[in-house]
Amino acid sequence: NATVLFSDVRSFTTITEQLGAQGTVALLNEYFTLMVDCIQREEGMLDKFIGDAVMAAFGIPVAHDDDADRAVRAAIAMMRELRSWNRQRVAEGRLPLDIGIGLNTDTVVSGNIGSKKQMNYTIIGDGVNLAARLESACKLYGAHILVSEFTYRQLKGTYFSREMDVVVVKGKTQPVAIYEILDYHDEESYPNLADALRLFKTGLLKYRQQKWTDAIEAFEEVQAINPADAAPRLYRERCIYLMDHPPTDDWLGVWVMESK
């Protein structure tokens, strides 16, 4: 088993249009240096860069009994490092970067893959694909770090986190519970986080019980604590929709993701 970390930069096209070719290369080199340091401090294996995306694995080639935690700690460090770097960029009049990170733990295939002329050591498999899907899902939920239930169940440490949803990702049929890690926040970036997590959990429970009004009330309280938190706004909109379009009797609160 390995825990796969997949991270990507959001709205990168907008930034590259302003920077031009040389500026884009310089930006990516600076950004990748910061992110790779976070990964390697936790003994993760950098797998590859894919454009502005980073893929890494924890547990390959050497397994540890806390590889899931190492991956989560690396993701938290990446977010903290990015926030510090962004402060510096904004102070210099440059645009900040925003990223999403997906983590998933599963059996993966690793080895030298390619042609006779060029081979690369890499990892492939469904476990890798789900990590990439979770990174993509960060945009939907306004999250920065999403982990699958398979990673979450293996965590030994305690983190500020919340169950975000149960989803069926594109190309799959089995639902997967996903969790958001919020440990990179401080009191300035998310005040009264513990209260917000408690209220969000209540809202999610009421949502699944189809008690739409109670759910909306809880999500609105989360929104009042932190108006920048997109997840309670998303759920509030879902509740309003489901009040007008009641689900079928066999509804279990599973969300089917149509995009990759």
Side-chain angles (χ1 to χ4, degrees):
N1 267 22
T3 299
V4 180
L5 181 154
F6 193 93
S7 174
D8 202 359
V9 179
R10 300 177 190 168
S11 305
F12 195 64
T13 305
T14 306
I15 297 174
T16 56
E17 285 172 350
Q18 296 186 19
L19 292 177
Q22 286 185 319
T24 299
V25 170
L27 170 69
L28 280 176
N29 286 340
E30 191 178 352
Y31 163 73
F32 283 144
T33 299
L34 294 171
M35 298 300 104
V36 171
D37 281 351
C38 296
I39 291 165
Q40 292 183 338
R41 279 200 299 268
E42 295 292 347
E43 297 184 50
M45 183 199 78
L46 176 68
D47 182 78
K48 63 166 78 79
F49 301 117
I50 311 166
D52 56 353
V54 180
M55 193 164 86
F58 297 77
I60 294 176
V62 179
H64 309 86
D65 63 357
D66 63 342
D67 280 315
D69 288 87
R70 288 170 183 260
V72 166
R73 290 197 301 263
I76 292 167
M78 288 166 71
M79 285 303 304
R80 288 176 175 161
E81 199 72 47
L82 183 73
R83 183 189 297 154
S84 175
W85 186 51
N86 275 336
R87 283 199 192 105
Q88 180 187 330
R89 288 181 60 79
V90 171
E92 295 168 355
R94 297 188 290 170
L95 289 171
L97 260 63
D98 189 22
I99 65 172
I101 303 169
L103 298 175
N104 180 46
T105 304
D106 199 355
T107 302
V108 298
V109 177
S110 64
N112 290 310
I113 297 171
S115 70
K116 290 180 180 178
K117 292 185 177 180
Q118 182 171 341
M119 305 285 282
N120 287 310
Y121 183 86
T122 189
I123 53 173
I124 58 173
D126 279 352
V128 177
N129 295 338
L130 182 54
R133 295 283 190 274
L134 293 185
E135 183 284 316
S136 182
C138 284
K139 302 182 189 76
L140 173 65
Y141 296 98
H144 288 99
I145 305 174
L146 287 178
V147 309
S148 72
E149 62 180 275
F150 312 114
T151 297
Y152 193 82
R153 285 202 298 258
Q154 292 201 18
L155 294 177
K156 295 174 170 57
T158 304
Y159 309 90
F160 282 111
S161 63
R162 62 184 173 190
E163 183 179 358
M164 183 59 83
D165 208 348
V166 177
V167 301
V168 175
V169 299
K170 192 168 179 66
K172 293 293 176 184
T173 56
Q174 290 300 310
V176 176
I178 60 175
Y179 297 80
E180 182 182 14
I181 304 294
L182 295 139
D183 236 58
Y184 57 90
H185 280 296
D186 54 24
E187 189 61 27
E188 181 187 347
S189 62
Y190 203 132
N192 302 312
L193 177 57
D195 291 339
L197 294 180
R198 178 178 51 78
L199 286 163
F200 189 87
K201 184 177 182 179
T202 299
L204 193 60
L205 176 64
K206 299 300 182 185
Y207 166 79
R208 289 174 177 163
Q209 291 173 343
Q210 302 187 35
K211 296 179 179 177
W212 313 122
T213 305
D214 292 345
I216 288 171
E217 186 178 321
F219 291 130
E220 285 180 343
E221 288 188 63
V222 179
Q223 200 77 66
I225 292 174
N226 183 6
D229 190 345
R233 191 182 316 120
L234 171 73
Y235 268 102
R236 182 180 177 277
E237 290 169 0
R238 278 194 197 172
C239 288
I240 291 170
Y241 176 83
L242 290 167
M243 285 171 78
D244 294 333
H245 306 83
T248 56
D249 292 341
D250 59 352
W251 185 78
L252 296 173
V254 176
W255 189 260
V256 178
M257 293 178 60
E258 299 296 339
S259 59
K260 290 187 176 182

